[in-house]
Amino acid sequence: MTDRVDSIESMEQLAVVWRDMVLDRDLGADVRDLPGIAVRWADCRFLFWNCITLTEVGADAELVGQRLGQAADIMRSKQHPGFLWIFEDLLADDARAALSEAAERAGLEHAFPGTGMAGDLLPIPEPSHPDLTFVRATTDEQLRTYADLNSRAYGFPLEDGRDGLVGSTLWKNQVHAYLGLRDGVPVTCAATVEAAGRLFVVLVATAPEWERRGYGEAVTRKALYEGGRATGLTRATLHATVAGAPVYPRIGFNPNSPMHFYSLKN
């Protein structure tokens, strides 16, 4: 098991960042810190803004089973679907071993895996890529483009991503969100935002037809560079998908806790 301090940081960064994101989307969003459960649920069409995570450290199998049932009940009470995020290294050994069965009993199914990462890596050199120019996303049109790149990368309907970002005050003013353009066409995007003394990387995506060209790494470096320059922060955190996990260590991130995303069974 990796150092729980880093895994706790990863979970807490989720709770801090997602609180701001969902309240930006809807001031009436469900933002609650319950015993062992953090609810960050905008109840919008963008699944990533509908989030629950378990927050206890060292919870055993019995307690985790109870929390999964409670989380599933909260998810069932919502209009729109979302994800339960689990940071594996926060669980006791018996809870990790029994996680799949406990999720099944709660009516949850595994959606996809991830990895928490962090690093004391800032400042970094100003990035460049021979194919790309970078533009900060500060208008609704640019945020629509940013949302569409994420929707295409994750297989969401375009309107779902737009429901999460278009019209956002937070993303226009406080998030360092960048589009990477190839011959004037947006092909990749990444953003950073200040969160509890760290710079958090959020919603990195590349158009599927332009993957494996280093575009995601380049635009992530740009968002980190500009966010670090604006805030003076030196530590950064993120939650990586399987596709992104090999990329971020090249920038200076170190993996901490394996993550699991669960959704309600149909």
Side-chain angles (χ1 to χ4, degrees), residues 2 6 9-10 13 115-124 190-193 197-204 216-225 227-228 233-241 244-257 259:
T2 57
D6 291 337
E9 175 190 46
S10 196
Q13 283 280 282
T115 307
M117 295 190 181
D120 297 302
L121 53 91
L122 298 167
I124 62 172
T192 57
V193 63
R198 294 144 179 91
L199 202 59
F200 186 84
V201 178
V202 61
L203 297 187
V204 178
E217 179 178 346
V219 75
T220 300
R221 287 181 180 273
K222 176 64 174 178
L224 283 164
Y225 171 79
L233 296 172
T234 59
R235 186 167 179 80
T237 60
L238 58 81
H239 302 129
T241 62
V247 174
Y248 300 120
R250 297 201 292 264
I251 302 175
F253 287 93
N254 299 309
N256 45 65
S257 181
M259 298 167 58

Side-chain angles (χ1 to χ4, degrees), residues 142-166:
Q142 290 166 332
L143 288 180
R144 184 178 295 107
T145 299
Y146 196 108
D148 288 354
L149 283 166
N150 271 268
S151 293
R152 293 185 61 208
Y154 289 101
F156 298 158
L158 296 184
E159 288 303 322
D160 290 10
R162 294 172 183 177
D163 193 38
L165 292 184
V166 176

Side-chain angles (χ1 to χ4, degrees), residues 64-92:
V64 168
Q66 294 174 10
R67 297 297 187 226
L68 292 177
Q70 292 170 330
D73 286 343
I74 294 170
M75 295 167 77
R76 291 188 190 98
S77 74
K78 304 303 183 184
Q79 179 181 358
H80 294 287
F83 296 114
L84 168 64
W85 303 39
I86 304 256
F87 294 85
E88 183 179 309
D89 283 347
L90 298 187
L91 309 180

Side-chain angles (χ1 to χ4, degrees), residues 31-77:
V31 177
R32 290 178 287 163
D33 291 297
L34 306 173
I37 298 174
V39 183
R40 305 288 186 265
W41 203 282
D43 215 10
C44 68
R45 291 179 58 173
F46 188 49
L47 273 68
F48 284 129
W49 286 177
N50 303 332
C51 165
I52 297 177
T53 191
L54 303 190
T55 58
E56 282 152 330
V57 179
D60 62 18
E62 181 179 1
L63 181 55
V64 168
Q66 294 174 10
R67 297 297 187 226
L68 292 177
Q70 292 170 330
D73 286 343
I74 294 170
M75 295 167 77
R76 291 188 190 98
S77 74

